[in-house]
Amino acid sequence: MSEVILIRTHYFDETLEGFCSRLQNESGREVVALVDESKGQVSVPNTFGKVVLDFESLKERGIYIPRDAAWRCGDYCYYAARLARPDVAAFWLVEGDVRFKLDHLSEFFNAFPNADEVDFITTGYHKSSNKWWWYNAMHAFSEQVYGCMYPLTRLSSRAIDHLMVRRAEHSIVFQERLSNGEMGLSWPNDESFTSTTLSCDGFVCRDVNGFGRSFHSKKTFRVGRPVSLRELETQPNDGQIHHPVVSGVSFLRKMKNSFGSYLKKNMPAEEIRAIFNTRLFLLVALETDPETALKFHDDCEAALAQYNSDV
């Protein structure tokens, strides 16, 4: 059965090209860039396939398109790929900030049953409670809610077809509620919608770690504070998948976002300083330059000083 690896992206640079080359050379699978071109055309080398995330074609199929669909609805990438490549039995969807610290990528991609045995493979698969951020949005459509992480997933084509139909059904209900002026409505994201729909509708869903080998942990695969690509590349292979792994200005931007999230959590300033320690500022210098790292350090200290005075 054929499988294709989709790289979800809105850009294509040398770093991503190197990642795609390794994926294609070692996995034994074709790599296709699944590209969001809402901010401009993205050039992809002929070595790889390309599918454009066309929201208009999905809208024509009755699927609701929120303003942040490119970020919120990763399942729409699968629909675009399925429509473009109906011959494929299953797709992997991999975000550009995932990295595999494996000797050979066949270790990972050949470790799982075919799509006729398992419909959905993901990370962080769980039965959710109302403490989860996306619970309420999906609970409006399902009594039981499941969740996962979406940076690395695999879906069978039959599961994708089913999800497309269900998204269109939910779109009718959601838009009717919007037109009726209901307040506080939120369109379910990819993680809640995919996990819940497939789990509740009888499809086989499994975590990546559920096949006899552990490929990720909360330490290596998470959301929030980023991992330096340059530092990770110097470390020995640990047999794990890492996320989020970024470099350059993207690393700095994610560090700033992570710092801001800790402030919003009302954590004690000293605890934040313990996290944003000398080592992290050195990593910023590694990914950018010493002057940028020093400015980031000074900005953090100024923010913490203001934070202390406000508490």
Side-chain angles (χ1 to χ4, degrees):
M1 288 187 134
S2 62
E3 287 186 1
V4 164
I5 298 174
L6 305 171
I7 297 295
R8 180 182 178 184
T9 188
H10 61 278
Y11 67 93
F12 209 95
D13 59 13
E14 290 184 4
T15 299
L16 188 59
E17 182 175 359
F19 181 49
C20 289
S21 294
R22 187 186 179 205
L23 281 170
Q24 188 154 276
N25 292 338
E26 297 183 16
S27 71
R29 291 154 177 82
E30 179 187 0
V31 169
V32 173
L34 198 295
V35 184
D36 169 24
E37 292 190 328
S38 58
K39 294 184 179 180
Q41 186 174 357
V42 177
S43 178
V44 176
N46 294 333
T47 311
F48 315 107
K50 178 182 176 181
V51 172
V52 176
L53 181 55
D54 183 1
F55 290 120
E56 284 303 315
S57 66
L58 299 182
K59 191 174 182 179
E60 290 171 2
R61 291 176 172 267
I63 296 175
Y64 175 69
I65 311 296
R67 284 181 295 178
D68 58 355
W71 167 78
R72 181 185 297 247
C73 305
D75 53 311
Y76 291 12
C77 296
Y78 278 113
Y79 310 153
R82 175 69 172 144
L83 295 173
R85 297 289 302 272
D87 57 308
V88 177
F91 296 91
W92 285 95
L93 183 62
V94 183
E95 294 184 357
D97 57 355
V98 170
R99 287 296 183 274
F100 301 83
K101 290 297 289 184
L102 303 168
D103 293 336
H104 199 279
L105 294 189
S106 60
E107 293 178 47
F108 177 81
F109 288 98
N110 293 343
F112 308 101
N114 290 330
D116 55 357
E117 297 180 48
V118 181
D119 294 289
F120 183 43
I121 299 175
T122 185
T123 53
Y125 177 63
H126 67 281
K127 185 179 288 188
S128 179
S129 72
N130 59 8
K131 295 180 180 180
W132 188 42
W133 177 264
W134 292 103
Y135 177 88
N136 289 332
M138 193 62 214
H139 191 248
F141 296 95
S142 176
E143 185 65 27
Q144 179 61 61
V145 175
Y146 291 79
C148 70
M149 296 177 67
Y150 230 75
L152 176 65
T153 53
R154 192 192 79 177
L155 279 172
S156 68
S157 291
R158 77 180 192 112
I160 298 170
D161 292 342
H162 183 76
L163 290 170
M164 271 198 285
V165 171
R166 297 287 275 154
R167 271 295 201 188
E169 292 173 351
H170 288 185
S171 295
I172 294 172
V173 175
F174 187 77
Q175 290 176 105
E176 286 179 351
R177 293 170 64 193
L178 283 176
S179 64
N180 290 334
E182 288 191 40
M183 303 297 291
L185 297 178
S186 181
W187 186 238
N189 77 331
D190 41 23
E191 298 166 347
S192 59
F193 172 74
T194 304
S195 297
T196 301
T197 301
L198 295 181
S199 298
C200 294
D201 292 354
F203 289 77
V204 180
C205 306
R206 303 271 293 276
D207 192 276
V208 163
N209 284 351
F211 298 90
R213 176 174 172 178
S214 177
F215 282 106
H216 69 90
S217 69
K218 290 182 179 179
K219 181 179 179 181
T220 66
F221 204 90
R222 61 178 188 260
V223 295
R225 196 171 71 255
V227 175
S228 161
L229 175 60
R230 292 186 180 182
E231 182 189 41
L232 187 67
E233 289 177 338
T234 67
Q235 298 173 351
N237 289 340
D238 58 6
Q240 297 288 288
I241 314 162
H242 293 256
H243 174 272
V245 182
V246 288
S247 62
V249 294
S250 295
F251 181 77
L252 176 61
R253 182 173 62 251
K254 283 186 176 288
M255 273 293 184
K256 290 180 177 179
N257 291 340
S258 180
F259 181 82
S261 70
Y262 285 116
L263 294 180
K264 292 178 182 178
K265 291 178 182 178
N266 294 320
M267 290 176 59
E270 289 311 309
E271 289 188 18
I272 299 175
R273 281 195 177 92
I275 296 169
F276 283 80
N277 53 27
T278 300
R279 176 180 175 276
L280 288 190
F281 290 113
L282 288 174
L283 290 178
V284 173
L286 176 67
E287 290 291 353
T288 56
D289 58 73
E291 183 178 348
T292 298
L294 180 59
K295 183 178 186 306
F296 178 49
H297 172 273
D298 291 345
D299 289 345
C300 288
E301 282 299 319
L304 286 173
Q306 181 64 43
Y307 178 71
N308 273 334
S309 66
D310 292 341
V311 174

